[in-house]
Amino acid sequence: MATTQQTSADETRTQRAQVCIAGGGPAGVMLGLLLARAGIEVVVLEKHADFFRDFRGDTVHPSTLNIIDALGLRSEFDAIPHTPLPRLDAVINGIRIHAIDLSTLPPPNRMITLMPQWDLLQLLARAGERHPSFRLRMNADVTGVIERGGRVVGVRADTPDGELVVEADLVVAADGRSSTVRPSVGLTPREYGVPSDVLWFRLPRPTEKMPDTLLWAGVGGFVITIPRPDYLQCGLLIPHGTFPQVQGEGLEAFRQRITRVVPRLTEVVGVLASLDDVKLLSVQIDRLDRWWRPGMLAIGDAAHAMSPVFGVGINYAVQDAVAAARVLAPALSRGGADALDAACAAVQRRRERPTAMMQAIQRAAHRLIASGRRGRIIDNPPTRVQRAVLRLVLPTLRPLMARLIGYGFRPERV
Ligand SMILES: Cc1cc2nc3c(=O)[nH]c(=O)nc-3n(C[C@H](O)[C@H](O)[C@H](O)COP(=O)(O)OP(=O)(O)OC[C@H]3O[C@@H](n4cnc5c(N)ncnc54)[C@H](O)[C@@H]3O)c2cc1C
């Protein structure tokens, strides 16, 4: 069990663990759980008081579902309200396309599941807490690392009870795209400029049931509609930096922009009472050249920020955690700084290429979105060539897309 002691003079408490993870997102909580299962003493520090934030994305892909199964958590997962989506539709210029058919994947997980991310994180945290060597500390905002002799040996965190120092053999930066740990050890990611931002808002479901549709593209732009149990979580993609322009045009123009792309939302768009109901989320794609330093490893968005395109970021963060746990646990059990550093380097070698390949696809999608073609990707009615493409190419692409989105490149096993 990780130990805590009070160093009375300055009210700083010091805690010791084998691994300290900064950030309780999908990467951090999953890694904490997996290491604790392997008997490693682990402390996860999360700066917020709870997991309840609605801008994190909700998609749990087959790669993550397989891991939930392998961890024996499936019945608990199934008991939480969620929406299974065996097929992902897109509506482009009014034409519904069954773009991705996950039922072509091998059993048992032939669907994407939409589950609010706070529910998934709570499930993983509960599973972690069943292991005596797991400790999750909420309200603990990591402010920087402690270094000794050229190695990272711990972190400092602000908590409501004062400063907390966690000393550890390894610090893991799982603190997301705006990581605090990363710059404190001098790591700066390479930015791949993304020409889009997302405006994030909720709408009630229209009374007439509509098929679950993730993406709508039309002359007004691109709209994402994530079917959550009681409402639709919506996102409008806009060119980067143009939110002030949207605000200047006013609420009614915003509502019209949505309904031009998704006419079926006309009935419900009136619930947006002000543009204050709309949150600006900036989209980012970046990647570290080096994911580790002696005593420290970055995973998930802290190592490589993912765009929401294809909703793979959570799943890539989970895959990083699984790969990291598999390599780190034996190195931590054996002990020795050199072995630990070699294990960190091995994690980067394993995960860097699958990440770079997926980010390249996301960047290509953003270029297409920004090209201004929008709904004109397909004419309505489709031209003869477009009809032929839809009829002949789509069936061939469907299983490949299902595999790409469901598993990404190089899925990991527990
Ligand atoms: C608009 C938008 C929509 C998206 N939709 C999807 C989707 O539908 N599906 C999908 O798979 N991906 C989606 N993504 C991508 C996805 O959100 C990320 O790739 C994924 O959350 C990365 O997980 P992570 O654990 O690495 O980081 P995060 O989820 O960012 O978690 C980091 C955690 O660290 C905590 N933290 C930060 N700083 C500190 C600190 N100093 N001290 C302690 N804790 C700290 C944060 O509070 C957070 O809990 C979306 C991204 C965007 C921008």
mmCIF file of all heavy atoms in Angstrom, residues 30-61:
data_model
loop_
_atom_site.group_PDB
_atom_site.id
_atom_site.type_symbol
_atom_site.label_atom_id
_atom_site.label_comp_id
_atom_site.label_asym_id
_atom_site.label_seq_id
_atom_site.Cartn_x
_atom_site.Cartn_y
_atom_site.Cartn_z
ATOM 1 N N MET A 30 -6.929 3.843 -16.576
ATOM 2 C CA MET A 30 -6.695 2.467 -17.060
ATOM 3 C C MET A 30 -5.302 1.992 -16.662
ATOM 4 O O MET A 30 -5.136 0.863 -16.184
ATOM 5 C CB MET A 30 -6.877 2.425 -18.593
ATOM 6 C CG MET A 30 -6.636 1.074 -19.208
ATOM 7 S SD MET A 30 -7.713 -0.251 -18.563
ATOM 8 C CE MET A 30 -9.094 -0.174 -19.690
ATOM 9 N N LEU A 31 -4.287 2.830 -16.813
ATOM 10 C CA LEU A 31 -2.936 2.397 -16.434
ATOM 11 C C LEU A 31 -2.873 2.113 -14.929
ATOM 12 O O LEU A 31 -2.276 1.120 -14.500
ATOM 13 C CB LEU A 31 -1.901 3.464 -16.827
ATOM 14 C CG LEU A 31 -0.453 3.101 -16.466
ATOM 15 C CD1 LEU A 31 -0.002 1.817 -17.151
ATOM 16 C CD2 LEU A 31 0.507 4.243 -16.816
ATOM 17 N N GLY A 32 -3.514 2.985 -14.138
ATOM 18 C CA GLY A 32 -3.517 2.772 -12.685
ATOM 19 C C GLY A 32 -4.124 1.420 -12.335
ATOM 20 O O GLY A 32 -3.571 0.648 -11.543
ATOM 21 N N LEU A 33 -5.264 1.112 -12.963
ATOM 22 C CA LEU A 33 -5.940 -0.163 -12.695
ATOM 23 C C LEU A 33 -5.048 -1.352 -13.071
ATOM 24 O O LEU A 33 -4.883 -2.304 -12.314
ATOM 25 C CB LEU A 33 -7.264 -0.201 -13.476
ATOM 26 C CG LEU A 33 -7.925 -1.562 -13.693
ATOM 27 C CD1 LEU A 33 -8.290 -2.215 -12.377
ATOM 28 C CD2 LEU A 33 -9.190 -1.424 -14.555
ATOM 29 N N LEU A 34 -4.446 -1.280 -14.275
ATOM 30 C CA LEU A 34 -3.652 -2.418 -14.753
ATOM 31 C C LEU A 34 -2.410 -2.639 -13.901
ATOM 32 O O LEU A 34 -2.039 -3.774 -13.601
ATOM 33 C CB LEU A 34 -3.263 -2.201 -16.223
ATOM 34 C CG LEU A 34 -4.432 -2.222 -17.216
ATOM 35 C CD1 LEU A 34 -3.966 -1.803 -18.598
ATOM 36 C CD2 LEU A 34 -5.073 -3.603 -17.261
ATOM 37 N N LEU A 35 -1.768 -1.547 -13.492
ATOM 38 C CA LEU A 35 -0.570 -1.699 -12.658
ATOM 39 C C LEU A 35 -0.954 -2.252 -11.283
ATOM 40 O O LEU A 35 -0.266 -3.108 -10.731
ATOM 41 C CB LEU A 35 0.166 -0.361 -12.523
ATOM 42 C CG LEU A 35 0.874 0.134 -13.797
ATOM 43 C CD1 LEU A 35 1.516 1.490 -13.556
ATOM 44 C CD2 LEU A 35 1.937 -0.863 -14.271
ATOM 45 N N ALA A 36 -2.078 -1.752 -10.738
ATOM 46 C CA ALA A 36 -2.509 -2.237 -9.415
ATOM 47 C C ALA A 36 -2.837 -3.732 -9.478
ATOM 48 O O ALA A 36 -2.539 -4.483 -8.554
ATOM 49 C CB ALA A 36 -3.708 -1.431 -8.929
ATOM 50 N N ARG A 37 -3.439 -4.162 -10.596
ATOM 51 C CA ARG A 37 -3.718 -5.604 -10.758
ATOM 52 C C ARG A 37 -2.439 -6.416 -10.713
ATOM 53 O O ARG A 37 -2.431 -7.572 -10.332
ATOM 54 C CB ARG A 37 -4.361 -5.853 -12.135
ATOM 55 C CG ARG A 37 -5.838 -5.665 -12.180
ATOM 56 C CD ARG A 37 -6.309 -5.884 -13.604
ATOM 57 N NE ARG A 37 -6.781 -7.220 -13.863
ATOM 58 C CZ ARG A 37 -6.333 -8.009 -14.826
ATOM 59 N NH1 ARG A 37 -5.384 -7.626 -15.626
ATOM 60 N NH2 ARG A 37 -6.839 -9.210 -15.001
ATOM 61 N N ALA A 38 -1.341 -5.789 -11.212
ATOM 62 C CA ALA A 38 -0.053 -6.502 -11.219
ATOM 63 C C ALA A 38 0.673 -6.320 -9.888
ATOM 64 O O ALA A 38 1.845 -6.687 -9.763
ATOM 65 C CB ALA A 38 0.800 -5.981 -12.377
ATOM 66 N N GLY A 39 -0.007 -5.717 -8.906
ATOM 67 C CA GLY A 39 0.580 -5.588 -7.568
ATOM 68 C C GLY A 39 1.508 -4.392 -7.407
ATOM 69 O O GLY A 39 2.220 -4.271 -6.413
ATOM 70 N N ILE A 40 1.515 -3.485 -8.389
ATOM 71 C CA ILE A 40 2.375 -2.291 -8.304
ATOM 72 C C ILE A 40 1.653 -1.219 -7.485
ATOM 73 O O ILE A 40 0.464 -0.979 -7.693
ATOM 74 C CB ILE A 40 2.669 -1.745 -9.730
ATOM 75 C CG1 ILE A 40 3.259 -2.831 -10.637
ATOM 76 C CG2 ILE A 40 3.534 -0.494 -9.673
ATOM 77 C CD1 ILE A 40 4.628 -3.304 -10.270
ATOM 78 N N GLU A 41 2.376 -0.560 -6.599
ATOM 79 C CA GLU A 41 1.783 0.540 -5.812
ATOM 80 C C GLU A 41 1.655 1.755 -6.712
ATOM 81 O O GLU A 41 2.657 2.267 -7.219
ATOM 82 C CB GLU A 41 2.681 0.914 -4.644
ATOM 83 C CG GLU A 41 2.707 -0.119 -3.550
ATOM 84 C CD GLU A 41 3.812 0.191 -2.560
ATOM 85 O OE1 GLU A 41 4.498 1.224 -2.706
ATOM 86 O OE2 GLU A 41 3.976 -0.620 -1.641
ATOM 87 N N VAL A 42 0.430 2.220 -6.880
ATOM 88 C CA VAL A 42 0.212 3.303 -7.847
ATOM 89 C C VAL A 42 -0.710 4.360 -7.251
ATOM 90 O O VAL A 42 -1.674 4.038 -6.548
ATOM 91 C CB VAL A 42 -0.325 2.704 -9.176
ATOM 92 C CG1 VAL A 42 -1.620 1.963 -9.000
ATOM 93 C CG2 VAL A 42 -0.508 3.766 -10.225
ATOM 94 N N VAL A 43 -0.364 5.614 -7.515
ATOM 95 C CA VAL A 43 -1.211 6.734 -7.094
ATOM 96 C C VAL A 43 -1.601 7.509 -8.347
ATOM 97 O O VAL A 43 -0.723 7.891 -9.134
ATOM 98 C CB VAL A 43 -0.455 7.696 -6.147
ATOM 99 C CG1 VAL A 43 -1.293 8.919 -5.826
ATOM 100 C CG2 VAL A 43 -0.069 6.984 -4.877
ATOM 101 N N VAL A 44 -2.900 7.706 -8.553
ATOM 102 C CA VAL A 44 -3.378 8.524 -9.680
ATOM 103 C C VAL A 44 -3.840 9.860 -9.104
ATOM 104 O O VAL A 44 -4.661 9.886 -8.177
ATOM 105 C CB VAL A 44 -4.562 7.834 -10.407
ATOM 106 C CG1 VAL A 44 -5.020 8.668 -11.597
ATOM 107 C CG2 VAL A 44 -4.198 6.426 -10.850
ATOM 108 N N LEU A 45 -3.316 10.957 -9.638
ATOM 109 C CA LEU A 45 -3.701 12.285 -9.161
ATOM 110 C C LEU A 45 -4.555 12.967 -10.228
ATOM 111 O O LEU A 45 -4.097 13.131 -11.370
ATOM 112 C CB LEU A 45 -2.454 13.143 -8.885
ATOM 113 C CG LEU A 45 -1.473 12.576 -7.857
ATOM 114 C CD1 LEU A 45 -0.253 13.497 -7.728
ATOM 115 C CD2 LEU A 45 -2.147 12.394 -6.498
ATOM 116 N N GLU A 46 -5.764 13.350 -9.888
ATOM 117 C CA GLU A 46 -6.681 14.011 -10.837
ATOM 118 C C GLU A 46 -7.038 15.380 -10.286
ATOM 119 O O GLU A 46 -7.440 15.495 -9.134
ATOM 120 C CB GLU A 46 -7.943 13.163 -11.046
ATOM 121 C CG GLU A 46 -9.098 13.860 -11.722
ATOM 122 C CD GLU A 46 -8.760 14.485 -13.083
ATOM 123 O OE1 GLU A 46 -8.114 13.833 -13.906
ATOM 124 O OE2 GLU A 46 -9.144 15.661 -13.297
ATOM 125 N N LYS A 47 -6.906 16.398 -11.141
ATOM 126 C CA LYS A 47 -7.079 17.756 -10.605
ATOM 127 C C LYS A 47 -8.537 18.121 -10.325
ATOM 128 O O LYS A 47 -8.806 18.959 -9.481
ATOM 129 C CB LYS A 47 -6.433 18.790 -11.523
ATOM 130 C CG LYS A 47 -7.137 19.063 -12.811
ATOM 131 C CD LYS A 47 -6.439 20.214 -13.519
ATOM 132 C CE LYS A 47 -6.983 20.417 -14.909
ATOM 133 N NZ LYS A 47 -6.261 21.446 -15.648
ATOM 134 N N HIS A 48 -9.488 17.481 -11.019
ATOM 135 C CA HIS A 48 -10.889 17.829 -10.781
ATOM 136 C C HIS A 48 -11.454 17.029 -9.612
ATOM 137 O O HIS A 48 -10.930 15.993 -9.234
ATOM 138 C CB HIS A 48 -11.726 17.563 -12.041
ATOM 139 C CG HIS A 48 -11.449 18.549 -13.140
ATOM 140 N ND1 HIS A 48 -10.613 18.260 -14.192
ATOM 141 C CD2 HIS A 48 -11.874 19.816 -13.320
ATOM 142 C CE1 HIS A 48 -10.547 19.312 -14.988
ATOM 143 N NE2 HIS A 48 -11.295 20.283 -14.485
ATOM 144 N N ALA A 49 -12.599 17.529 -9.110
ATOM 145 C CA ALA A 49 -13.236 16.855 -7.969
ATOM 146 C C ALA A 49 -14.005 15.622 -8.429
ATOM 147 O O ALA A 49 -14.306 14.740 -7.636
ATOM 148 C CB ALA A 49 -14.175 17.823 -7.267
ATOM 149 N N ASP A 50 -14.393 15.567 -9.709
ATOM 150 C CA ASP A 50 -15.142 14.412 -10.224
ATOM 151 C C ASP A 50 -14.781 14.217 -11.695
ATOM 152 O O ASP A 50 -13.961 14.948 -12.240
ATOM 153 C CB ASP A 50 -16.654 14.647 -10.057
ATOM 154 C CG ASP A 50 -17.079 15.947 -10.707
ATOM 155 O OD1 ASP A 50 -16.564 16.234 -11.803
ATOM 156 O OD2 ASP A 50 -17.902 16.680 -10.132
ATOM 157 N N PHE A 51 -15.404 13.215 -12.321
ATOM 158 C CA PHE A 51 -15.102 12.929 -13.735
ATOM 159 C C PHE A 51 -16.111 13.603 -14.667
ATOM 160 O O PHE A 51 -16.103 13.351 -15.858
ATOM 161 C CB PHE A 51 -15.161 11.412 -13.977
ATOM 162 C CG PHE A 51 -14.102 10.629 -13.267
ATOM 163 C CD1 PHE A 51 -14.433 9.555 -12.461
ATOM 164 C CD2 PHE A 51 -12.760 10.944 -13.421
ATOM 165 C CE1 PHE A 51 -13.464 8.813 -11.819
ATOM 166 C CE2 PHE A 51 -11.772 10.207 -12.776
ATOM 167 C CZ PHE A 51 -12.128 9.148 -11.979
ATOM 168 N N PHE A 52 -17.017 14.406 -14.082
ATOM 169 C CA PHE A 52 -18.165 14.861 -14.848
ATOM 170 C C PHE A 52 -17.834 16.046 -15.762
ATOM 171 O O PHE A 52 -17.928 17.205 -15.369
ATOM 172 C CB PHE A 52 -19.304 15.240 -13.890
ATOM 173 C CG PHE A 52 -20.608 15.393 -14.601
ATOM 174 C CD1 PHE A 52 -21.378 14.277 -14.908
ATOM 175 C CD2 PHE A 52 -21.054 16.628 -14.995
ATOM 176 C CE1 PHE A 52 -22.566 14.413 -15.599
ATOM 177 C CE2 PHE A 52 -22.243 16.776 -15.684
ATOM 178 C CZ PHE A 52 -22.997 15.674 -15.988
ATOM 179 N N ARG A 53 -17.378 15.738 -16.966
ATOM 180 C CA ARG A 53 -17.171 16.790 -17.960
ATOM 181 C C ARG A 53 -17.694 16.257 -19.286
ATOM 182 O O ARG A 53 -17.381 15.131 -19.645
ATOM 183 C CB ARG A 53 -15.691 17.158 -18.057
ATOM 184 C CG ARG A 53 -15.248 17.955 -16.850
ATOM 185 C CD ARG A 53 -13.777 18.268 -16.878
ATOM 186 N NE ARG A 53 -12.948 17.105 -16.732
ATOM 187 C CZ ARG A 53 -12.854 16.367 -15.633
ATOM 188 N NH1 ARG A 53 -13.584 16.651 -14.578
ATOM 189 N NH2 ARG A 53 -12.046 15.339 -15.596
ATOM 190 N N ASP A 54 -18.523 17.052 -19.985
ATOM 191 C CA ASP A 54 -19.218 16.458 -21.130
ATOM 192 C C ASP A 54 -18.504 16.671 -22.455
ATOM 193 O O ASP A 54 -19.026 16.358 -23.500
ATOM 194 C CB ASP A 54 -20.668 16.941 -21.195
ATOM 195 C CG ASP A 54 -20.770 18.380 -21.638
ATOM 196 O OD1 ASP A 54 -19.715 19.006 -21.839
ATOM 197 O OD2 ASP A 54 -21.897 18.867 -21.792
ATOM 198 N N PHE A 55 -17.269 17.170 -22.431
ATOM 199 C CA PHE A 55 -16.608 17.438 -23.702
ATOM 200 C C PHE A 55 -15.533 16.406 -24.010
ATOM 201 O O PHE A 55 -14.683 16.615 -24.844
ATOM 202 C CB PHE A 55 -15.978 18.837 -23.684
ATOM 203 C CG PHE A 55 -15.085 19.061 -22.508
ATOM 204 C CD1 PHE A 55 -13.769 18.644 -22.520
ATOM 205 C CD2 PHE A 55 -15.582 19.685 -21.387
ATOM 206 C CE1 PHE A 55 -12.961 18.828 -21.427
ATOM 207 C CE2 PHE A 55 -14.773 19.878 -20.280
ATOM 208 C CZ PHE A 55 -13.464 19.450 -20.301
ATOM 209 N N ARG A 56 -15.583 15.277 -23.312
ATOM 210 C CA ARG A 56 -14.498 14.320 -23.451
ATOM 211 C C ARG A 56 -14.745 13.304 -24.554
ATOM 212 O O ARG A 56 -13.845 12.571 -24.901
ATOM 213 C CB ARG A 56 -14.332 13.551 -22.158
ATOM 214 C CG ARG A 56 -13.718 14.330 -21.029
ATOM 215 C CD ARG A 56 -13.905 13.506 -19.792
ATOM 216 N NE ARG A 56 -13.246 13.985 -18.625
ATOM 217 C CZ ARG A 56 -12.030 13.648 -18.260
ATOM 218 N NH1 ARG A 56 -11.303 12.904 -19.042
ATOM 219 N NH2 ARG A 56 -11.530 14.086 -17.138
ATOM 220 N N GLY A 57 -15.958 13.220 -25.074
ATOM 221 C CA GLY A 57 -16.242 12.181 -26.059
ATOM 222 C C GLY A 57 -16.700 10.915 -25.357
ATOM 223 O O GLY A 57 -16.375 10.684 -24.189
ATOM 224 N N ASP A 58 -17.461 10.127 -26.067
ATOM 225 C CA ASP A 58 -18.194 9.030 -25.432
ATOM 226 C C ASP A 58 -17.985 7.679 -26.071
ATOM 227 O O ASP A 58 -18.636 6.724 -25.691
ATOM 228 C CB ASP A 58 -19.702 9.288 -25.583
ATOM 229 C CG ASP A 58 -20.161 10.495 -24.832
ATOM 230 O OD1 ASP A 58 -19.325 11.310 -24.489
ATOM 231 O OD2 ASP A 58 -21.368 10.590 -24.577
ATOM 232 N N THR A 59 -17.132 7.590 -27.085
ATOM 233 C CA THR A 59 -17.149 6.350 -27.850
ATOM 234 C C THR A 59 -16.224 5.296 -27.237
ATOM 235 O O THR A 59 -15.069 5.574 -26.949
ATOM 236 C CB THR A 59 -16.727 6.601 -29.312
ATOM 237 O OG1 THR A 59 -15.444 7.210 -29.310
ATOM 238 C CG2 THR A 59 -17.698 7.519 -30.027
ATOM 239 N N VAL A 60 -16.800 4.110 -27.015
ATOM 240 C CA VAL A 60 -16.001 2.972 -26.536
ATOM 241 C C VAL A 60 -15.963 1.969 -27.684
ATOM 242 O O VAL A 60 -16.987 1.398 -28.054
ATOM 243 C CB VAL A 60 -16.636 2.344 -25.277
ATOM 244 C CG1 VAL A 60 -15.720 1.252 -24.727
ATOM 245 C CG2 VAL A 60 -16.892 3.410 -24.206
ATOM 246 N N HIS A 61 -14.801 1.808 -28.265
ATOM 247 C CA HIS A 61 -14.672 1.028 -29.489
ATOM 248 C C HIS A 61 -14.393 -0.447 -29.176
ATOM 249 O O HIS A 61 -14.048 -0.786 -28.033
ATOM 250 C CB HIS A 61 -13.540 1.611 -30.340
ATOM 251 C CG HIS A 61 -13.874 2.954 -30.924
ATOM 252 N ND1 HIS A 61 -13.489 3.349 -32.175
ATOM 253 C CD2 HIS A 61 -14.571 3.987 -30.422
ATOM 254 C CE1 HIS A 61 -13.933 4.567 -32.420
ATOM 255 N NE2 HIS A 61 -14.586 4.976 -31.366
#
